Amino acid sequence: MSFGIGWKHMKICKNKAWVYLIWMVSCCIHAEVPKVSPHFVPSTSAEAHWVFSGVVEGEGGEQYGYFFQMGRKKNTFHSRAALFDVQTKAVLIQDDSEAEIADPSTYLWHVGNAFLRFNPITDSWFFGFKQANKAGFNFKVDMQKTSEALPEPQNLRSGISVFVSQTNSLNGHIHSSDGQKEHFVTAGQAWFRQTSVTTPQSNTHAVKGVLCRFDDGSGFYSVNLPEEDALRGAITGRFDAKGLAEPMSQFIHVEVRTDGKWGVHVPSPEQNVLVSAFMQQDAVIAGIAEVGEQAGFCFLSEDTLGHQDESTTV
């Protein structure tokens, strides 16, 4: 039986097949594989809250708890920050500022004594405050190592987004309350939380958050939106002293005790944290945390977002 194809013609077809196969393999080898960008992109929402919190250490081994909070609603910005001495359990310096910013899109914000800047080239935040007597702090924090993937923002409900991350290293300076002494401080990591309104909301929503960091570098966070129609009512995360993620229950219970301290109960792994509230202003509670012999710092807050008629992005 003859197929009507000569040997010479078969060789040509075979050669063409090999060329096609080599071209296909070459395309597979050289084709670009989509990659998840490690770079952080701040929210452009016209209503958002940013929080940094953690424990830093001085060159002499002394430890300080801190938080820095910036809230935005359209062109109005409000900042609140404080520094705590973990050893003496005292508030060292604190600041509360507010300002109108005509062009917020630059992420070069000066709000009274406070400032918050983001550098997209280095994925770094610069934040702090400086009062008239030069007291304050200025910190630089890198969002993440370039080899690591950033966590994805999550929707607590339709139009309410939250991003929580354990950052890379932090360094900076603390200026004492008299403005005369300067201390260089560092930390292996910091907590960063961004909560934003991505679509207009018909009602306000109270987003409750917990950020705790302990003296061995371990810590956990919790974000809670107690609403029946929430897409995700609670988000939690926990990292050990080496910075490795650990499983953690989503059901965190926070309450004020009869002795005035705040209790943070984590069912799994079982942990009861006592927080001495050295600062309690509006919807912010911050203070030294204790878990047995371990000390640290916790920042508890409730951010109210939503009920904005105009566009939420710039």
Side-chain angles (χ1 to χ4, degrees):
M1 184 179 290
S2 174
F3 290 94
I5 300 175
W7 172 248
K8 184 177 180 180
H9 186 64
M10 288 180 65
K11 286 182 67 179
I12 293 172
C13 292
K14 185 176 180 182
N15 289 340
K16 286 184 177 179
W18 274 107
V19 170
Y20 179 73
L21 179 61
I22 292 171
W23 177 81
M24 286 289 291
V25 172
S26 176
C27 286
C28 293
I29 292 173
H30 295 288
E32 289 189 12
V33 179
K35 295 180 180 179
V36 177
S37 174
H39 296 289
F40 172 75
V41 179
S43 172
T44 58
S45 171
E47 185 175 6
H49 292 260
W50 296 267
V51 176
F52 298 87
S53 181
V55 176
V56 295
E57 186 170 305
E59 296 174 290
E62 65 280 10
Q63 293 187 326
Y64 305 92
Y66 72 92
F67 78 84
F68 179 92
Q69 182 184 47
M70 181 73 77
R72 174 190 179 187
K73 191 157 189 178
K74 299 182 182 178
N75 287 33
T76 302
F77 287 75
H78 178 248
S79 69
R80 180 175 289 146
L83 185 73
F84 302 76
D85 190 317
V86 174
Q87 290 73 218
T88 63
K89 301 180 181 179
V91 181
L92 298 178
I93 43 179
Q94 57 183 304
D95 187 75
D96 201 307
S97 297
E98 188 170 292
E100 294 285 327
I101 299 179
D103 182 15
S105 62
T106 60
Y107 277 94
L108 299 170
W109 301 334
H110 289 272
V111 180
N113 298 321
F115 63 90
L116 177 62
R117 304 196 309 271
F118 180 72
N119 186 333
I121 299 176
T122 59
D123 272 358
S124 301
W125 286 97
F126 301 82
F127 62 94
F129 66 92
K130 183 178 181 181
Q131 298 175 333
N133 63 354
K134 298 185 179 180
F137 62 74
N138 58 86
F139 295 158
K140 170 185 174 291
V141 61
D142 299 321
M143 283 302 295
Q144 205 80 337
K145 296 177 181 177
T146 55
S147 60
E148 298 177 348
L150 285 166
E152 292 291 330
Q154 301 186 62
N155 290 321
L156 295 173
R157 62 171 296 116
S158 179
I160 301 290
S161 173
V162 64
F163 173 91
V164 187
S165 175
Q166 176 172 260
T167 72
N168 196 14
S169 59
L170 175 152
N171 64 78
H173 294 86
I174 293 172
H175 299 265
S176 59
S177 57
D178 57 10
Q180 299 300 314
K181 295 181 180 179
E182 181 180 271
H183 306 277
F184 178 70
V185 294
T186 60
Q189 64 284 307
W191 284 127
F192 170 74
R193 186 180 72 218
Q194 173 183 271
T195 313
S196 58
V197 177
T198 56
T199 58
Q201 301 291 302
S202 58
N203 299 303
T204 58
H205 306 281
V207 180
K208 300 180 179 181
V210 176
L211 298 170
C212 288
R213 180 70 63 186
F214 302 103
D215 53 14
D216 65 346
S218 65
F220 67 85
Y221 71 84
S222 170
V223 181
N224 180 30
L225 180 62
E227 297 179 355
E228 291 184 359
D229 60 345
L231 298 175
R232 297 201 63 176
I235 299 172
T236 59
R238 180 185 181 90
F239 293 86
D240 64 15
K242 295 180 180 179
L244 301 177
E246 295 182 327
M248 177 182 174
S249 170
Q250 288 187 331
F251 303 99
I252 307 301
H253 182 62
V254 180
E255 66 176 358
V256 62
R257 296 168 19 126
T258 55
D259 60 2
K261 293 184 179 181
W262 286 78
V264 181
H265 175 64
V266 182
S268 178
E270 182 76 24
Q271 192 172 37
N272 289 293
V273 183
L274 291 181
V275 182
S276 300
F278 292 108
M279 172 178 282
Q280 188 166 348
Q281 295 181 2
D282 300 328
V284 168
I285 297 165
I288 304 303
E290 296 174 299
V291 184
E293 298 298 320
Q294 198 174 32
F297 177 77
C298 284
F299 175 78
L300 289 63
S301 63
E302 182 176 308
D303 298 332
T304 301
L305 300 99
H307 194 55
Q308 186 167 300
D309 296 327
E310 298 180 14
S311 174
T312 56
T313 57
V314 293

